Amino acid sequence: MRQIYITGRGGPEKLQIREAADPSSAAGELRIRVRAIGINFADILARQGLYPDAPKLPCVVGYEVAGVVDAVGADQDAHWIGREVFALTRFGGYADCVVVPAAQVFAKPAALSFEQAAAVPVNYLTAWQLLVVVGALRAGETVLIHNAGGGVGLAAIDVARHVGATIYGTASAGKHAFLRERGLHAAIDYRGKDWRPELMRLSGDRGVELIIDPLGGRHWKRSYRALRHTGRLGMFGISRVTESWLIGPLRLLDVVAGLPLFNPISLMNDNRAVFGVNLGHLWHEVDKIRAWMQDVLAGIDDGWVRPHVDRAFGFEQVGEAQAYIEARRNTGKVVLTVAS
Ligand SMILES: NC(=O)c1ccc[n+]([C@@H]2O[C@H](COP(=O)([O-])OP(=O)(O)OC[C@H]3O[C@@H](n4cnc5c(N)ncnc54)[C@H](OP(=O)(O)O)[C@@H]3O)[C@@H](O)[C@H]2O)c1
């Protein structure tokens, strides 16, 4: 098999394809011949040395794949062989062959291509957890989706539309027209600008009931202040870390220095809630993940889950694919494809 290694901290030149023997599937596992790989922002942070959860270097990252099962562990049902699936991988997904616990594998809906299926797990599970499971968004409420043009952002738009909420989002200006087509009621340009005056104007100075914020650091403070009373802030990323002028892992200091300190008394008196989401820390709760995925799969059947692949790059073009995201050019998901 071929795997894409991060060989050291740095730019896309640190990505290298290496050959290895095919893994075999042990008890409880399925082996998948990969056809498409979902790229996540965390993969880029890992390469930059800014993702504390990443394995020790050199390593193979990758949280999600789609492909065809070609081998099963001794205790697994042979009916899996030849089935088209998609799966969550706890790293190791940047490969043309992976072995995964069966509990992390789902039958691929026939309506989805491999590329679309690889765009589902991380983005839609994260959006579902943020908006529905913890964020408790209800019809008639208003949500602000930061980074609405990213993979999670587009998934969150789908979920918020399904719930029946009013949806505002921040994104680079060039993405606004597309985001409105996808269901955003108003798009706000947040590049080099404060987005709050526009949000306050849109919400009649009241703020909104839910904000999902993957930017981190001081940005979380600003988002908290933009909540309406009874509002909730869901924090789930630290994208801003890449903008720091500091070098290497020191860039994390900027995020840490800007962290809000939430005071329980203020939370009570403000009637607001704050929460965090990290799908990468839920491997021990796979039953919950599977239940949420059933809701997402039902959404695929019903048509409100619309995984949008912005661009598919070849396996060998992984550096270009990551650079495309770093340059903020993607609207929705970027995937790698493996020729069959
Ligand atoms: N906690 C979790 O479980 C979880 C799961 C998935 C993702 N996340 C986090 O959610 C965030 C979005 O992930 P994603 O996979 O949806 O993103 P993505 O699809 O890779 O989108 C990247 C987009 O983020 C925006 N962005 C904002 N700040 C940026 C920066 N400093 N550098 C580059 N791009 C920046 C850009 O769009 P605009 O300029 O148009 O806004 C860019 O196009 C990341 O922080 C990621 O780590 C967390």
Side-chain angles (χ1 to χ4, degrees), residues 40-42 122-123 126 147 150-152 171-172 175 190-191 214-215 236-240 242-243 277-279 325-326 328-330 332:
N40 288 289
F41 203 76
V122 172
N123 290 345
T126 304
N147 184 192
V152 175
S172 298
K175 303 176 185 178
Y190 69 160
R191 295 284 298 277
L215 300 164
F236 69 108
I238 53 167
S239 297
R240 283 180 73 87
T242 59
E243 290 168 10
V277 159
N278 190 343
L279 198 63
I325 297 172
E326 280 178 270
R328 306 174 82 138
R329 292 174 61 199
N330 65 307

PDB file of all heavy atoms in Angstrom, residues 40-42 122-123 126 147 150-152 171-172 175 190-191 214-215 236-240 242-243 277-279 325-326 328-330 332, ligand 1:
ATOM      1  N   ASN A  40      -8.929  17.377   6.216  1.00  0.00           N
ATOM      2  CA  ASN A  40      -9.434  18.254   7.261  1.00  0.00           C
ATOM      3  C   ASN A  40      -8.381  19.268   7.663  1.00  0.00           C
ATOM      4  O   ASN A  40      -7.179  19.020   7.519  1.00  0.00           O
ATOM      5  CB  ASN A  40      -9.878  17.425   8.477  1.00  0.00           C
ATOM      6  CG  ASN A  40     -11.160  16.675   8.184  1.00  0.00           C
ATOM      7  OD1 ASN A  40     -12.221  17.280   8.078  1.00  0.00           O
ATOM      8  ND2 ASN A  40     -11.064  15.373   7.994  1.00  0.00           N
ATOM      9  N   PHE A  41      -8.850  20.408   8.183  1.00  0.00           N
ATOM     10  CA  PHE A  41      -7.929  21.471   8.578  1.00  0.00           C
ATOM     11  C   PHE A  41      -6.930  20.960   9.618  1.00  0.00           C
ATOM     12  O   PHE A  41      -5.765  21.364   9.633  1.00  0.00           O
ATOM     13  CB  PHE A  41      -8.730  22.662   9.129  1.00  0.00           C
ATOM     14  CG  PHE A  41      -7.984  23.963   9.047  1.00  0.00           C
ATOM     15  CD1 PHE A  41      -7.856  24.621   7.838  1.00  0.00           C
ATOM     16  CD2 PHE A  41      -7.389  24.515  10.171  1.00  0.00           C
ATOM     17  CE1 PHE A  41      -7.152  25.812   7.750  1.00  0.00           C
ATOM     18  CE2 PHE A  41      -6.693  25.699  10.096  1.00  0.00           C
ATOM     19  CZ  PHE A  41      -6.580  26.360   8.889  1.00  0.00           C
ATOM     20  N   ALA A  42      -7.381  20.014  10.446  1.00  0.00           N
ATOM     21  CA  ALA A  42      -6.502  19.457  11.475  1.00  0.00           C
ATOM     22  C   ALA A  42      -5.270  18.783  10.859  1.00  0.00           C
ATOM     23  O   ALA A  42      -4.183  18.785  11.451  1.00  0.00           O
ATOM     24  CB  ALA A  42      -7.281  18.455  12.323  1.00  0.00           C
ATOM     25  N   VAL A 122     -16.525  13.549   9.166  1.00  0.00           N
ATOM     26  CA  VAL A 122     -16.070  14.580  10.109  1.00  0.00           C
ATOM     27  C   VAL A 122     -16.965  15.819  10.030  1.00  0.00           C
ATOM     28  O   VAL A 122     -17.422  16.338  11.053  1.00  0.00           O
ATOM     29  CB  VAL A 122     -14.590  14.959   9.840  1.00  0.00           C
ATOM     30  CG1 VAL A 122     -14.186  16.153  10.695  1.00  0.00           C
ATOM     31  CG2 VAL A 122     -13.684  13.759  10.123  1.00  0.00           C
ATOM     32  N   ASN A 123     -17.247  16.275   8.826  1.00  0.00           N
ATOM     33  CA  ASN A 123     -18.003  17.527   8.709  1.00  0.00           C
ATOM     34  C   ASN A 123     -19.418  17.406   9.274  1.00  0.00           C
ATOM     35  O   ASN A 123     -19.882  18.265  10.034  1.00  0.00           O
ATOM     36  CB  ASN A 123     -18.094  17.978   7.243  1.00  0.00           C
ATOM     37  CG  ASN A 123     -16.747  18.443   6.714  1.00  0.00           C
ATOM     38  OD1 ASN A 123     -15.818  18.692   7.481  1.00  0.00           O
ATOM     39  ND2 ASN A 123     -16.629  18.550   5.416  1.00  0.00           N
ATOM     40  N   THR A 126     -19.569  16.562  13.149  1.00  0.00           N
ATOM     41  CA  THR A 126     -19.207  17.747  13.943  1.00  0.00           C
ATOM     42  C   THR A 126     -20.360  18.753  13.930  1.00  0.00           C
ATOM     43  O   THR A 126     -20.745  19.295  14.975  1.00  0.00           O
ATOM     44  CB  THR A 126     -17.926  18.397  13.376  1.00  0.00           C
ATOM     45  OG1 THR A 126     -16.892  17.423  13.335  1.00  0.00           O
ATOM     46  CG2 THR A 126     -17.478  19.571  14.223  1.00  0.00           C
ATOM     47  N   ASN A 147     -16.743  30.793   9.583  1.00  0.00           N
ATOM     48  CA  ASN A 147     -16.059  29.958   8.593  1.00  0.00           C
ATOM     49  C   ASN A 147     -17.091  29.089   7.847  1.00  0.00           C
ATOM     50  O   ASN A 147     -16.911  27.887   7.662  1.00  0.00           O
ATOM     51  CB  ASN A 147     -15.006  29.100   9.321  1.00  0.00           C
ATOM     52  CG  ASN A 147     -14.148  28.248   8.410  1.00  0.00           C
ATOM     53  OD1 ASN A 147     -13.439  27.380   8.878  1.00  0.00           O
ATOM     54  ND2 ASN A 147     -14.211  28.478   7.126  1.00  0.00           N
ATOM     55  N   GLY A 150     -16.209  26.645   4.941  1.00  0.00           N
ATOM     56  CA  GLY A 150     -15.378  25.448   5.121  1.00  0.00           C
ATOM     57  C   GLY A 150     -16.251  24.189   5.086  1.00  0.00           C
ATOM     58  O   GLY A 150     -17.479  24.270   4.945  1.00  0.00           O
ATOM     59  N   GLY A 151     -15.614  23.041   5.211  1.00  0.00           N
ATOM     60  CA  GLY A 151     -16.351  21.785   5.167  1.00  0.00           C
ATOM     61  C   GLY A 151     -17.381  21.699   6.282  1.00  0.00           C
ATOM     62  O   GLY A 151     -18.557  21.379   6.039  1.00  0.00           O
ATOM     63  N   VAL A 152     -16.977  22.008   7.506  1.00  0.00           N
ATOM     64  CA  VAL A 152     -17.930  21.965   8.623  1.00  0.00           C
ATOM     65  C   VAL A 152     -18.987  23.051   8.427  1.00  0.00           C
ATOM     66  O   VAL A 152     -20.173  22.830   8.682  1.00  0.00           O
ATOM     67  CB  VAL A 152     -17.214  22.160   9.980  1.00  0.00           C
ATOM     68  CG1 VAL A 152     -18.232  22.227  11.116  1.00  0.00           C
ATOM     69  CG2 VAL A 152     -16.210  21.038  10.246  1.00  0.00           C
ATOM     70  N   ALA A 171     -17.471  34.463   6.193  1.00  0.00           N
ATOM     71  CA  ALA A 171     -16.627  33.782   5.210  1.00  0.00           C
ATOM     72  C   ALA A 171     -15.931  34.837   4.364  1.00  0.00           C
ATOM     73  O   ALA A 171     -16.348  36.010   4.361  1.00  0.00           O
ATOM     74  CB  ALA A 171     -17.473  32.876   4.308  1.00  0.00           C
ATOM     75  N   SER A 172     -14.907  34.438   3.632  1.00  0.00           N
ATOM     76  CA  SER A 172     -14.280  35.339   2.664  1.00  0.00           C
ATOM     77  C   SER A 172     -15.347  35.778   1.659  1.00  0.00           C
ATOM     78  O   SER A 172     -16.210  34.977   1.264  1.00  0.00           O
ATOM     79  CB  SER A 172     -13.161  34.620   1.916  1.00  0.00           C
ATOM     80  OG  SER A 172     -12.157  34.214   2.815  1.00  0.00           O
ATOM     81  N   LYS A 175     -16.941  33.908  -1.413  1.00  0.00           N
ATOM     82  CA  LYS A 175     -17.759  32.702  -1.210  1.00  0.00           C
ATOM     83  C   LYS A 175     -19.227  33.030  -0.925  1.00  0.00           C
ATOM     84  O   LYS A 175     -20.065  32.134  -0.857  1.00  0.00           O
ATOM     85  CB  LYS A 175     -17.185  31.879  -0.041  1.00  0.00           C
ATOM     86  CG  LYS A 175     -15.726  31.483  -0.263  1.00  0.00           C
ATOM     87  CD  LYS A 175     -15.112  30.741   0.918  1.00  0.00           C
ATOM     88  CE  LYS A 175     -13.624  30.513   0.652  1.00  0.00           C
ATOM     89  NZ  LYS A 175     -12.920  29.846   1.742  1.00  0.00           N
ATOM     90  N   TYR A 190     -15.536  38.562   7.143  1.00  0.00           N
ATOM     91  CA  TYR A 190     -14.798  38.725   8.403  1.00  0.00           C
ATOM     92  C   TYR A 190     -13.295  38.832   8.180  1.00  0.00           C
ATOM     93  O   TYR A 190     -12.529  38.803   9.140  1.00  0.00           O
ATOM     94  CB  TYR A 190     -15.125  37.607   9.385  1.00  0.00           C
ATOM     95  CG  TYR A 190     -14.619  36.203   9.032  1.00  0.00           C
ATOM     96  CD1 TYR A 190     -14.502  35.240  10.036  1.00  0.00           C
ATOM     97  CD2 TYR A 190     -14.274  35.821   7.745  1.00  0.00           C
ATOM     98  CE1 TYR A 190     -14.070  33.951   9.764  1.00  0.00           C
ATOM     99  CE2 TYR A 190     -13.838  34.529   7.464  1.00  0.00           C
ATOM    100  CZ  TYR A 190     -13.736  33.611   8.473  1.00  0.00           C
ATOM    101  OH  TYR A 190     -13.295  32.345   8.196  1.00  0.00           O
ATOM    102  N   ARG A 191     -12.885  38.954   6.916  1.00  0.00           N
ATOM    103  CA  ARG A 191     -11.447  39.011   6.648  1.00  0.00           C
ATOM    104  C   ARG A 191     -10.952  40.437   6.895  1.00  0.00           C
ATOM    105  O   ARG A 191     -11.287  41.358   6.164  1.00  0.00           O
ATOM    106  CB  ARG A 191     -11.164  38.602   5.198  1.00  0.00           C
ATOM    107  CG  ARG A 191     -11.500  37.164   4.879  1.00  0.00           C
ATOM    108  CD  ARG A 191     -10.473  36.201   5.433  1.00  0.00           C
ATOM    109  NE  ARG A 191      -9.144  36.374   4.880  1.00  0.00           N
ATOM    110  CZ  ARG A 191      -8.729  35.860   3.731  1.00  0.00           C
ATOM    111  NH1 ARG A 191      -9.550  35.130   3.004  1.00  0.00           N
ATOM    112  NH2 ARG A 191      -7.505  36.053   3.311  1.00  0.00           N
ATOM    113  N   PRO A 214     -14.820  28.091  15.147  1.00  0.00           N
ATOM    114  CA  PRO A 214     -13.602  27.283  15.059  1.00  0.00           C
ATOM    115  C   PRO A 214     -12.338  28.137  14.977  1.00  0.00           C
ATOM    116  O   PRO A 214     -11.296  27.655  14.559  1.00  0.00           O
ATOM    117  CB  PRO A 214     -13.811  26.556  13.721  1.00  0.00           C
ATOM    118  CG  PRO A 214     -14.473  27.589  12.862  1.00  0.00           C
ATOM    119  CD  PRO A 214     -15.302  28.451  13.797  1.00  0.00           C
ATOM    120  N   LEU A 215     -12.449  29.423  15.336  1.00  0.00           N
ATOM    121  CA  LEU A 215     -11.303  30.319  15.128  1.00  0.00           C
ATOM    122  C   LEU A 215     -10.397  30.384  16.358  1.00  0.00           C
ATOM    123  O   LEU A 215      -9.173  30.403  16.241  1.00  0.00           O
ATOM    124  CB  LEU A 215     -11.795  31.702  14.712  1.00  0.00           C
ATOM    125  CG  LEU A 215     -12.601  31.650  13.397  1.00  0.00           C
ATOM    126  CD1 LEU A 215     -13.394  32.910  13.187  1.00  0.00           C
ATOM    127  CD2 LEU A 215     -11.691  31.383  12.208  1.00  0.00           C
ATOM    128  N   PHE A 236     -14.867  24.927  18.697  1.00  0.00           N
ATOM    129  CA  PHE A 236     -14.429  23.620  18.167  1.00  0.00           C
ATOM    130  C   PHE A 236     -13.172  23.683  17.314  1.00  0.00           C
ATOM    131  O   PHE A 236     -12.854  22.699  16.632  1.00  0.00           O
ATOM    132  CB  PHE A 236     -15.575  22.955  17.395  1.00  0.00           C
ATOM    133  CG  PHE A 236     -15.965  23.626  16.095  1.00  0.00           C
ATOM    134  CD1 PHE A 236     -15.662  23.030  14.878  1.00  0.00           C
ATOM    135  CD2 PHE A 236     -16.637  24.833  16.088  1.00  0.00           C
ATOM    136  CE1 PHE A 236     -16.026  23.627  13.679  1.00  0.00           C
ATOM    137  CE2 PHE A 236     -17.004  25.446  14.885  1.00  0.00           C
ATOM    138  CZ  PHE A 236     -16.700  24.838  13.688  1.00  0.00           C
ATOM    139  N   GLY A 237     -12.408  24.760  17.372  1.00  0.00           N
ATOM    140  CA  GLY A 237     -11.175  24.799  16.581  1.00  0.00           C
ATOM    141  C   GLY A 237     -10.360  26.025  16.894  1.00  0.00           C
ATOM    142  O   GLY A 237     -10.809  26.941  17.609  1.00  0.00           O
ATOM    143  N   ILE A 238      -9.142  26.013  16.378  1.00  0.00           N
ATOM    144  CA  ILE A 238      -8.218  27.131  16.635  1.00  0.00           C
ATOM    145  C   ILE A 238      -7.546  27.566  15.329  1.00  0.00           C
ATOM    146  O   ILE A 238      -6.335  27.768  15.263  1.00  0.00           O
ATOM    147  CB  ILE A 238      -7.150  26.752  17.695  1.00  0.00           C
ATOM    148  CG1 ILE A 238      -6.418  25.447  17.317  1.00  0.00           C
ATOM    149  CG2 ILE A 238      -7.754  26.657  19.085  1.00  0.00           C
ATOM    150  CD1 ILE A 238      -5.153  25.183  18.125  1.00  0.00           C
ATOM    151  N   SER A 239      -8.361  27.739  14.261  1.00  0.00           N
ATOM    152  CA  SER A 239      -7.794  28.089  12.951  1.00  0.00           C
ATOM    153  C   SER A 239      -6.908  29.331  13.002  1.00  0.00           C
ATOM    154  O   SER A 239      -5.960  29.458  12.241  1.00  0.00           O
ATOM    155  CB  SER A 239      -8.911  28.359  11.945  1.00  0.00           C
ATOM    156  OG  SER A 239      -9.678  27.217  11.745  1.00  0.00           O
ATOM    157  N   ARG A 240      -7.229  30.259  13.899  1.00  0.00           N
ATOM    158  CA  ARG A 240      -6.468  31.517  13.933  1.00  0.00           C
ATOM    159  C   ARG A 240      -5.006  31.299  14.258  1.00  0.00           C
ATOM    160  O   ARG A 240      -4.172  32.168  13.995  1.00  0.00           O
ATOM    161  CB  ARG A 240      -7.066  32.459  14.984  1.00  0.00           C
ATOM    162  CG  ARG A 240      -8.332  33.115  14.525  1.00  0.00           C
ATOM    163  CD  ARG A 240      -8.854  34.013  15.599  1.00  0.00           C
ATOM    164  NE  ARG A 240      -8.035  35.217  15.716  1.00  0.00           N
ATOM    165  CZ  ARG A 240      -8.234  36.305  14.988  1.00  0.00           C
ATOM    166  NH1 ARG A 240      -9.208  36.348  14.133  1.00  0.00           N
ATOM    167  NH2 ARG A 240      -7.472  37.367  15.137  1.00  0.00           N
ATOM    168  N   THR A 242      -2.872  29.735  12.827  1.00  0.00           N
ATOM    169  CA  THR A 242      -2.000  29.781  11.645  1.00  0.00           C
ATOM    170  C   THR A 242      -1.670  31.223  11.252  1.00  0.00           C
ATOM    171  O   THR A 242      -0.783  31.452  10.450  1.00  0.00           O
ATOM    172  CB  THR A 242      -2.684  29.101  10.436  1.00  0.00           C
ATOM    173  OG1 THR A 242      -3.903  29.782  10.177  1.00  0.00           O
ATOM    174  CG2 THR A 242      -2.954  27.637  10.687  1.00  0.00           C
ATOM    175  N   GLU A 243      -2.382  32.185  11.829  1.00  0.00           N
ATOM    176  CA  GLU A 243      -2.150  33.586  11.445  1.00  0.00           C
ATOM    177  C   GLU A 243      -1.154  34.283  12.363  1.00  0.00           C
ATOM    178  O   GLU A 243      -0.769  35.423  12.120  1.00  0.00           O
ATOM    179  CB  GLU A 243      -3.475  34.363  11.488  1.00  0.00           C
ATOM    180  CG  GLU A 243      -4.423  33.942  10.390  1.00  0.00           C
ATOM    181  CD  GLU A 243      -5.817  34.482  10.598  1.00  0.00           C
ATOM    182  OE1 GLU A 243      -6.033  35.336  11.483  1.00  0.00           O
ATOM    183  OE2 GLU A 243      -6.709  34.019   9.865  1.00  0.00           O
ATOM    184  N   VAL A 277     -16.547  21.103  21.455  1.00  0.00           N
ATOM    185  CA  VAL A 277     -16.759  19.869  20.683  1.00  0.00           C
ATOM    186  C   VAL A 277     -15.427  19.445  20.097  1.00  0.00           C
ATOM    187  O   VAL A 277     -14.704  20.264  19.518  1.00  0.00           O
ATOM    188  CB  VAL A 277     -17.791  20.121  19.549  1.00  0.00           C
ATOM    189  CG1 VAL A 277     -17.676  19.088  18.454  1.00  0.00           C
ATOM    190  CG2 VAL A 277     -19.211  20.127  20.125  1.00  0.00           C
ATOM    191  N   ASN A 278     -15.076  18.199  20.307  1.00  0.00           N
ATOM    192  CA  ASN A 278     -13.889  17.649  19.640  1.00  0.00           C
ATOM    193  C   ASN A 278     -14.161  16.191  19.297  1.00  0.00           C
ATOM    194  O   ASN A 278     -14.036  15.301  20.139  1.00  0.00           O
ATOM    195  CB  ASN A 278     -12.639  17.772  20.522  1.00  0.00           C
ATOM    196  CG  ASN A 278     -11.384  17.421  19.746  1.00  0.00           C
ATOM    197  OD1 ASN A 278     -11.455  16.792  18.686  1.00  0.00           O
ATOM    198  ND2 ASN A 278     -10.226  17.809  20.267  1.00  0.00           N
ATOM    199  N   LEU A 279     -14.529  15.980  18.054  1.00  0.00           N
ATOM    200  CA  LEU A 279     -14.875  14.631  17.589  1.00  0.00           C
ATOM    201  C   LEU A 279     -13.707  13.656  17.792  1.00  0.00           C
ATOM    202  O   LEU A 279     -13.926  12.471  18.055  1.00  0.00           O
ATOM    203  CB  LEU A 279     -15.219  14.723  16.092  1.00  0.00           C
ATOM    204  CG  LEU A 279     -16.004  13.592  15.471  1.00  0.00           C
ATOM    205  CD1 LEU A 279     -17.376  13.470  16.102  1.00  0.00           C
ATOM    206  CD2 LEU A 279     -16.143  13.824  13.966  1.00  0.00           C
ATOM    207  N   ILE A 325      -6.277  24.713   0.506  1.00  0.00           N
ATOM    208  CA  ILE A 325      -7.063  25.033   1.712  1.00  0.00           C
ATOM    209  C   ILE A 325      -6.377  26.144   2.517  1.00  0.00           C
ATOM    210  O   ILE A 325      -7.020  27.081   2.985  1.00  0.00           O
ATOM    211  CB  ILE A 325      -7.258  23.772   2.588  1.00  0.00           C
ATOM    212  CG1 ILE A 325      -8.052  22.712   1.829  1.00  0.00           C
ATOM    213  CG2 ILE A 325      -7.945  24.130   3.904  1.00  0.00           C
ATOM    214  CD1 ILE A 325      -8.135  21.357   2.532  1.00  0.00           C
ATOM    215  N   GLU A 326      -5.048  26.024   2.649  1.00  0.00           N
ATOM    216  CA  GLU A 326      -4.319  27.044   3.430  1.00  0.00           C
ATOM    217  C   GLU A 326      -4.479  28.427   2.823  1.00  0.00           C
ATOM    218  O   GLU A 326      -4.474  29.430   3.533  1.00  0.00           O
ATOM    219  CB  GLU A 326      -2.832  26.694   3.475  1.00  0.00           C
ATOM    220  CG  GLU A 326      -2.503  25.636   4.492  1.00  0.00           C
ATOM    221  CD  GLU A 326      -1.020  25.279   4.457  1.00  0.00           C
ATOM    222  OE1 GLU A 326      -0.664  24.367   3.690  1.00  0.00           O
ATOM    223  OE2 GLU A 326      -0.236  25.912   5.165  1.00  0.00           O
ATOM    224  N   ARG A 328      -7.070  29.501   1.608  1.00  0.00           N
ATOM    225  CA  ARG A 328      -8.484  29.814   1.867  1.00  0.00           C
ATOM    226  C   ARG A 328      -9.294  29.821   0.581  1.00  0.00           C
ATOM    227  O   ARG A 328     -10.273  30.549   0.463  1.00  0.00           O
ATOM    228  CB  ARG A 328      -8.610  31.149   2.617  1.00  0.00           C
ATOM    229  CG  ARG A 328      -7.791  31.182   3.890  1.00  0.00           C
ATOM    230  CD  ARG A 328      -7.791  32.535   4.557  1.00  0.00           C
ATOM    231  NE  ARG A 328      -8.970  32.738   5.365  1.00  0.00           N
ATOM    232  CZ  ARG A 328      -8.970  33.303   6.579  1.00  0.00           C
ATOM    233  NH1 ARG A 328      -7.850  33.688   7.122  1.00  0.00           N
ATOM    234  NH2 ARG A 328     -10.079  33.465   7.235  1.00  0.00           N
ATOM    235  N   ARG A 329      -8.887  28.992  -0.381  1.00  0.00           N
ATOM    236  CA  ARG A 329      -9.584  28.994  -1.669  1.00  0.00           C
ATOM    237  C   ARG A 329     -10.752  28.026  -1.713  1.00  0.00           C
ATOM    238  O   ARG A 329     -11.580  28.096  -2.616  1.00  0.00           O
ATOM    239  CB  ARG A 329      -8.574  28.670  -2.779  1.00  0.00           C
ATOM    240  CG  ARG A 329      -7.572  29.799  -2.961  1.00  0.00           C
ATOM    241  CD  ARG A 329      -6.488  29.453  -3.938  1.00  0.00           C
ATOM    242  NE  ARG A 329      -6.986  29.172  -5.273  1.00  0.00           N
ATOM    243  CZ  ARG A 329      -6.307  28.518  -6.203  1.00  0.00           C
ATOM    244  NH1 ARG A 329      -5.101  28.076  -5.947  1.00  0.00           N
ATOM    245  NH2 ARG A 329      -6.826  28.327  -7.386  1.00  0.00           N
ATOM    246  N   ASN A 330     -10.814  27.079  -0.764  1.00  0.00           N
ATOM    247  CA  ASN A 330     -11.891  26.079  -0.828  1.00  0.00           C
ATOM    248  C   ASN A 330     -13.226  26.620  -0.343  1.00  0.00           C
ATOM    249  O   ASN A 330     -13.288  27.412   0.584  1.00  0.00           O
ATOM    250  CB  ASN A 330     -11.513  24.840   0.013  1.00  0.00           C
ATOM    251  CG  ASN A 330     -11.407  25.153   1.491  1.00  0.00           C
ATOM    252  OD1 ASN A 330     -10.689  26.068   1.882  1.00  0.00           O
ATOM    253  ND2 ASN A 330     -12.140  24.434   2.312  1.00  0.00           N
ATOM    254  N   GLY A 332     -16.228  24.487   0.875  1.00  0.00           N
ATOM    255  CA  GLY A 332     -16.625  23.098   1.120  1.00  0.00           C
ATOM    256  C   GLY A 332     -15.412  22.183   1.138  1.00  0.00           C
ATOM    257  O   GLY A 332     -14.282  22.620   1.350  1.00  0.00           O
TER     258      GLY A 332
HETATM  259  N1  LIG B   1     -13.469  19.910  17.028  1.00  0.00           N
HETATM  260  C1  LIG B   1     -13.794  19.121  16.022  1.00  0.00           C
HETATM  261  O1  LIG B   1     -14.283  18.011  16.207  1.00  0.00           O
HETATM  262  C2  LIG B   1     -13.555  19.623  14.622  1.00  0.00           C
HETATM  263  C3  LIG B   1     -13.940  18.852  13.521  1.00  0.00           C
HETATM  264  C4  LIG B   1     -13.732  19.375  12.244  1.00  0.00           C
HETATM  265  C5  LIG B   1     -13.144  20.627  12.091  1.00  0.00           C
HETATM  266  N2  LIG B   1     -12.756  21.323  13.179  1.00  0.00           N
HETATM  267  C6  LIG B   1     -12.142  22.658  13.047  1.00  0.00           C
HETATM  268  O2  LIG B   1     -13.027  23.485  12.313  1.00  0.00           O
HETATM  269  C7  LIG B   1     -12.303  24.413  11.544  1.00  0.00           C
HETATM  270  C8  LIG B   1     -12.759  24.298  10.103  1.00  0.00           C
HETATM  271  O3  LIG B   1     -12.439  23.006   9.637  1.00  0.00           O
HETATM  272  P1  LIG B   1     -12.882  22.560   8.192  1.00  0.00           P
HETATM  273  O4  LIG B   1     -12.300  21.192   7.973  1.00  0.00           O
HETATM  274  O5  LIG B   1     -14.322  22.786   8.022  1.00  0.00           O
HETATM  275  O6  LIG B   1     -12.121  23.630   7.329  1.00  0.00           O
HETATM  276  P2  LIG B   1     -11.791  23.603   5.830  1.00  0.00           P
HETATM  277  O7  LIG B   1     -12.871  22.966   5.057  1.00  0.00           O
HETATM  278  O8  LIG B   1     -10.402  23.112   5.699  1.00  0.00           O
HETATM  279  O9  LIG B   1     -11.860  25.144   5.514  1.00  0.00           O
HETATM  280  C9  LIG B   1     -10.787  25.987   5.597  1.00  0.00           C
HETATM  281  C10 LIG B   1     -11.378  27.377   5.515  1.00  0.00           C
HETATM  282  O10 LIG B   1     -11.232  27.974   6.788  1.00  0.00           O
HETATM  283  C11 LIG B   1     -11.252  29.375   6.651  1.00  0.00           C
HETATM  284  N3  LIG B   1     -10.230  29.904   7.529  1.00  0.00           N
HETATM  285  C12 LIG B   1     -10.458  30.590   8.648  1.00  0.00           C
HETATM  286  N4  LIG B   1      -9.322  30.933   9.224  1.00  0.00           N
HETATM  287  C13 LIG B   1      -8.339  30.452   8.464  1.00  0.00           C
HETATM  288  C14 LIG B   1      -6.937  30.490   8.551  1.00  0.00           C
HETATM  289  N5  LIG B   1      -6.328  31.112   9.558  1.00  0.00           N
HETATM  290  N6  LIG B   1      -6.208  29.878   7.593  1.00  0.00           N
HETATM  291  C15 LIG B   1      -6.827  29.236   6.576  1.00  0.00           C
HETATM  292  N7  LIG B   1      -8.163  29.176   6.453  1.00  0.00           N
HETATM  293  C16 LIG B   1      -8.912  29.773   7.385  1.00  0.00           C
HETATM  294  C17 LIG B   1     -11.030  29.665   5.179  1.00  0.00           C
HETATM  295  O11 LIG B   1     -12.255  30.103   4.599  1.00  0.00           O
HETATM  296  P3  LIG B   1     -12.785  31.627   4.759  1.00  0.00           P
HETATM  297  O12 LIG B   1     -11.631  32.549   4.689  1.00  0.00           O
HETATM  298  O13 LIG B   1     -13.714  31.812   3.626  1.00  0.00           O
HETATM  299  O14 LIG B   1     -13.524  31.673   6.045  1.00  0.00           O
HETATM  300  C18 LIG B   1     -10.666  28.308   4.581  1.00  0.00           C
HETATM  301  O15 LIG B   1     -11.121  28.176   3.266  1.00  0.00           O
HETATM  302  C19 LIG B   1     -10.831  24.098  11.791  1.00  0.00           C
HETATM  303  O16 LIG B   1     -10.380  24.911  12.842  1.00  0.00           O
HETATM  304  C20 LIG B   1     -10.863  22.660  12.245  1.00  0.00           C
HETATM  305  O17 LIG B   1      -9.746  22.289  13.005  1.00  0.00           O
HETATM  306  C21 LIG B   1     -12.956  20.852  14.429  1.00  0.00           C
END
